[in-house]
Structures are given as C-alpha cells and as structure tokens.
C-alpha cells in the first residue's frame, strides 16, 4: 500500500533526537556563539574562560576548536592561538558559482537513479519544511533545508559528488547563517523549494536541473547582499567610534 507523504513526514519528524557527545556539544555551542556574535570575526578564542564557562578541560576544548578551524570558523595563528575567521565575500560568491553547476548535476542524476520510495521521502521532507515555515520556525526551517539538499546529493549515488557538495556547502555555511534574510526572501525560498519538488514529483529532469540552479543563484544573491550590507554597517560603526587617543 502506498505511503501517505503526510504520515511519512510525521514518522520522520518523530524520530528520537540523538544525544550529543561532549565533543559534539562543544562544537555546536561554540558554533552558535560565533553565529550569534558573542565571538565576533577577528576575536581571539579565550580558551581559559571558555573552559570555565563550559566546565571542561582544555583537551576537549582544543579538539572542538580543531573541528571549527577545519570548517572555516576559526584560523590558527602562530603564538596567537585561534581567532574567529573573517568572511571573504568574494570567496563565498565563487563557491556558490561552483555549487550552481553541481546542483544541475544533482538534478540530472536524481531523476535517473532515485527509487519510488525515495521520491516519497523527499516529498515528506518538503512537507516538514513548509510546516516549519508556517510556524515561523527559522532555525528549524534552515535545518530541514540543509537536510533536504544534503539528501538530494546523496540520492545521486555518486560518492565523489556528495563529498564535493558537502565540502563546498560547509564553506558557505557560516556566510548563510550570518546573512539575516528578510521575510520576503524566506517566503521566496519556500516557493523555490516547492517548484523544484514539483519538478521532481513529475520526473521532469530538465526543469529540476534548471530550478535547482536558479534556487542556488537566488540564495547566493541574497547572501552576498546581506553580507555586503553587514560589512557596510560595521564600517560605519568603526568610523563613528570615538578615538581612544586624546
């Protein structure tokens, strides 16, 4: 008997949350501190204070910092320890450009290689995305959004493509979280997801490829615009800040 996508969505959403290890918890909490601006770009990571704050020794903290450095959140400087990295807008644009081509390939291979049950799975995930949007749950929406795109890359059955897509996505992850989209862009994002999911449902390969590339381009434009505005605002604040010199 066919599976009802709504029932599938409830089942998928009701799975128990995996309990984080100390290492995973530290990575998640430090990432959130960077995203929320508690640890701003260019600032040094205060290891002693962070150990006291989290109630951990330096060993697990250092391991977590290594993960953040590998993901681009931090940079290591000799004799200076770790600092929160700056976001290079030009590099972000270049990565999105690469992702656009990969999104087209994902659309092509998905249509050729997906099983019927996997189509139902994707539709169920989209229903959950729409539910998070209706509930004004931005954090939940962003999380499901990432899961959808990650799953789509996996459904190509091409491990090299999947690894490349994941690596590039991690490069722009921070930029995407820093870009505080307005509600208009958020609404449009759901429309774009609905459009490419509809193309997937109809097995329209050409349209799916086009829609995925267009969605990536729109996301890139929104991120670059938001980051540019943020940089301009920060530059304005520095100019207005009174000098410490007499």
């Amino acid at each position: 008997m066919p599976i009802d996508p709504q029932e599938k969505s409830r089942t998928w959403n009701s799975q128990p949350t995996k309990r984080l290890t100390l290492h995973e918890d530290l990575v998640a909490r430090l990432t959130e501190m960077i995203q929320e601006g508690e640890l701003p770009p260019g600032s040094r990571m205060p290891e002693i204070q962070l150990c006291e704050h989290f109630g951990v020794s330096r060993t697990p903290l250092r391991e977590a910092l290594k993960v953040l450095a590998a993901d681009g959140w931090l940079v290591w400087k000799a004799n200076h320890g770790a600092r929160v990295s700056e976001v290079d807008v030009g590099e972000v644009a270049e990565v999105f450009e690469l992702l656009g081509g990969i999104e087209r390939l994902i659309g092509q291979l998905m249509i050729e290689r997906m099983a019927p049950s996997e189509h139902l799975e994707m539709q169920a995930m989209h229903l959950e995305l729409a539910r998070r949007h209706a509930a004004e749950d931005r954090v939940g929406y962003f999380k499901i959004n990432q899961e959808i795109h990650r799953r789509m890359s996996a459904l190509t059955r091409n491990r090299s493509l999947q690894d490349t897509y994941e690596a590039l996505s991690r490069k722009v992850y921070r930029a995407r979280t820093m870009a505080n989209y307005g509600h208009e862009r958020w609404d449009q994002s759901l429309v774009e997801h609905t459009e490419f999911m509809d193309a997937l449902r109809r097995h329209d390969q050409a349209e799916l490829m086009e829609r995925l590339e267009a969605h990536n381009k729109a996301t890139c434009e929104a991120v670059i615009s938001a980051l540019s505005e943020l940089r301009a605002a920060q530059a304005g604040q520095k100019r207005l800040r009174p000098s410490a010199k007499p």
Side-chain angles (χ1 to χ4, degrees), residues 96-180:
F96 269 111
E97 191 172 52
L98 284 173
L99 283 170
I102 294 176
E103 290 284 5
R104 288 190 64 87
L105 184 56
I106 287 174
Q108 174 190 334
L109 297 179
M110 281 179 67
I111 293 294
E112 296 172 357
R113 301 175 180 179
M114 283 178 67
S117 62
E118 291 167 337
H119 281 272
L120 291 174
E121 176 191 358
M122 294 305 304
Q123 296 299 327
M125 293 180 77
H126 177 66
L127 288 174
E128 179 62 18
L129 184 79
R131 188 184 73 79
R132 297 297 179 108
H133 179 271
E136 297 283 333
D137 180 3
R138 283 180 178 264
V139 174
Y141 181 93
F142 184 77
K143 180 179 178 181
I144 303 302
N145 187 345
Q146 294 294 296
E147 288 294 330
I148 286 174
H149 286 283
R150 188 174 293 114
R151 182 60 177 150
M152 291 174 78
S153 71
L155 291 173
T156 63
R157 296 334 196 244
N158 185 317
R159 189 66 194 179
S160 294
L161 181 152
Q162 187 179 354
D163 290 344
T164 302
Y165 184 81
E166 181 67 22
L168 291 174
S169 295
R170 289 169 72 176
K171 281 182 173 291
V172 295
Y173 178 83
R174 183 181 175 202
R176 294 189 64 177
T177 58
M178 287 179 65
N180 187 18

Side-chain angles (χ1 to χ4, degrees), residues 32-47:
E32 184 178 4
M33 291 176 73
I34 296 173
Q35 291 173 351
E36 297 297 327
E38 294 181 59
L39 297 168
S43 65
R44 185 175 179 179
M45 296 298 285
E47 293 187 26

